[in-house]
Amino acid sequence: MIRSMTAFGNARTDLEQGTLALELRSVNSRFLDLYFRLPDELRHVETPLRELLTASLARGKVEIRVSYTRNASTDLSKLDPEWLESLAEQLQAARRIVPDIAPPRLVELFNWPGQRGSDALDPQIWGAACLQAAQQALTQLQEGREREGERLAGMMRECADGVARIVDTVQTHLPQLLADHRDKLAAKLRESVESAFPGGFTHISGAELTERLSQEANLFALRIDVAEELSRLRSHLEELRHLLTDGGGKSTGGKKNAGSAGKRLDFLFQEMNREANTLGSKAGSMEVTRAAMDLKLLIEQMREQAQNIE
């Protein structure tokens, strides 16, 4: 399945001591870049979080933000009077030197780092809660990536249909283009002969005229032969539809390798753009020139969408 790299996921876990909240934000990136915003008390969770995310995500700049709040009622019942007296004495000592020091607020006392060793965050409990929230947020993130990816795939399919129509039109137009060129060449040759030899074609035989026209028409046909370019464009369109449906994954040992669709699409659109450029350089009429320009426009639109594919 095609996935976008832009999505958001969040989750929260309620504990007896408080609540933990986790957010995942993902945007475009050539590789997988993880940026952690963790409280110091939960810094030990970074490694398992990194392992969880790298096992599921292939590309994208992902920001992981974790915060927590402690239940005031729990903290209030466990405030240590001796610790408060010690803090008050230290505050008075500090005011003798800096008189205008403001006293700490009650909420700051509840969350004072290290003020009660028995009430510190339990690494095992809060770490497990963090991983649980991360798994829920990751599921939400992946669902959002898939929805956005399907929308992008739909837009690229529409552009691919437009490319297919242009290719068919050019293919259909080529025989008429050759016939029109032969007629123009015959008319120009008649004008040249009449100008050089007034009185008609008495100085050139019909066989010679036919042979000359045939040679010029063949040279023109070779010069504007775009059958190979059109064939390759059709092949690229077939590969594009396969990638948009299958996501570019290949089975290896029973496990599907996903995550390379975006890079494959980018390479595919480079190849398609090369064929469109060649088609434009070989254009033998204004219609084919316009077709090549329209092809490049559609390919560029698809390439822009593919920049957001994982």
Side-chain angles (χ1 to χ4, degrees):
M1 178 178 292
I2 290 292
R3 290 193 182 99
S4 168
M5 284 187 283
T6 303
F8 171 80
N10 66 338
R12 56 179 289 168
T13 302
D14 296 322
L15 301 172
E16 182 180 352
Q17 297 83 7
T19 301
L20 182 141
L22 184 144
E23 292 183 355
L24 298 178
R25 298 177 183 272
S26 175
V27 294
N28 298 4
S29 179
R30 291 184 61 190
F31 308 101
L32 179 61
D33 301 316
L34 304 179
Y35 296 87
F36 292 89
R37 304 289 185 266
L38 305 177
D40 290 338
E41 297 84 351
L42 296 173
R43 184 61 62 181
H44 66 281
V45 190
E46 178 175 336
T47 297
L49 281 177
R50 186 180 297 275
E51 293 174 353
L52 175 67
L53 296 173
T54 54
S56 301
L57 305 176
R59 297 174 66 198
K61 178 181 177 181
V62 184
E63 180 181 351
I64 304 96
R65 186 180 297 272
V66 179
S67 61
Y68 72 91
T69 56
R70 303 169 67 127
N71 293 334
S73 59
T74 300
D75 291 344
L76 186 61
S77 64
K78 295 182 180 180
L79 283 175
D80 187 352
E82 294 183 2
W83 176 80
L84 289 174
E85 291 178 2
S86 174
L87 182 62
E89 292 175 359
Q90 295 179 44
L91 180 61
Q92 290 299 327
R95 282 178 171 173
R96 284 194 290 270
I97 301 174
V98 185
D100 53 350
I101 291 180
R105 296 177 299 170
L106 186 60
V107 67
E108 292 175 339
L109 296 178
F110 291 152
N111 296 295
W112 200 280
Q115 56 95 357
R116 293 180 309 278
S118 61
D119 196 38
L121 295 183
D122 187 314
Q124 185 174 0
I125 294 177
W126 286 83
C130 186
L131 290 177
Q132 178 184 351
Q135 185 61 66
Q136 295 173 359
L138 178 60
T139 300
Q140 188 180 121
L141 181 82
Q142 292 288 61
E143 291 173 351
R145 281 184 160 205
E146 290 174 1
R147 287 193 300 269
E148 178 66 11
E150 184 57 34
R151 186 185 70 82
L152 295 175
M155 297 174 63
M156 284 188 279
R157 288 188 184 98
E158 292 180 3
C159 291
D161 292 340
V163 171
R165 287 192 294 269
I166 293 174
V167 169
D168 291 340
T169 300
V170 172
Q171 184 72 55
T172 304
H173 182 71
L174 284 179
Q176 184 62 43
L177 177 62
L178 292 173
D180 292 344
H181 178 74
R182 187 181 182 89
D183 293 342
K184 292 178 182 178
L185 184 62
K188 186 175 182 179
L189 187 57
R190 289 190 186 93
E191 292 176 1
S192 299
V193 171
E194 287 288 348
S195 176
F197 303 98
F201 290 84
T202 57
H203 299 280
I204 185 172
S205 67
E208 292 175 328
L209 180 61
T210 300
E211 183 180 358
R212 179 65 183 273
L213 286 174
S214 178
Q215 291 176 351
E216 292 293 336
N218 288 337
L219 288 175
F220 180 73
L222 290 174
R223 191 167 65 250
I224 68 166
D225 183 17
V226 293
E228 187 175 352
E229 286 75 14
L230 296 179
S231 176
R232 282 199 290 262
L233 280 171
R234 288 194 177 95
S235 177
H236 293 330
L237 286 175
E238 184 178 348
E239 177 64 14
L240 172 61
R241 294 188 177 98
H242 168 71
L243 287 174
L244 294 179
T245 301
D246 186 59
K250 291 185 178 181
S251 295
T252 304
K255 183 178 180 180
K256 188 174 182 180
N257 298 324
S260 61
K263 294 182 179 180
R264 293 189 182 192
L265 286 170
D266 186 64
F267 174 77
L268 181 63
F269 293 140
Q270 291 181 33
E271 294 299 308
M272 293 179 68
N273 193 63
R274 184 177 292 110
E275 301 303 334
N277 285 331
T278 304
L279 183 66
S281 66
K282 289 185 176 182
S285 69
M286 185 58 65
E287 289 80 3
V288 178
T289 300
R290 293 195 186 101
M293 294 176 63
D294 292 340
L295 281 174
K296 294 181 65 174
L297 178 61
L298 289 172
I299 294 169
E300 178 62 21
Q301 290 176 358
M302 290 189 290
R303 192 192 67 82
E304 290 178 356
Q305 300 300 330
Q307 299 302 309
N308 198 32
I309 297 298
E310 184 180 20

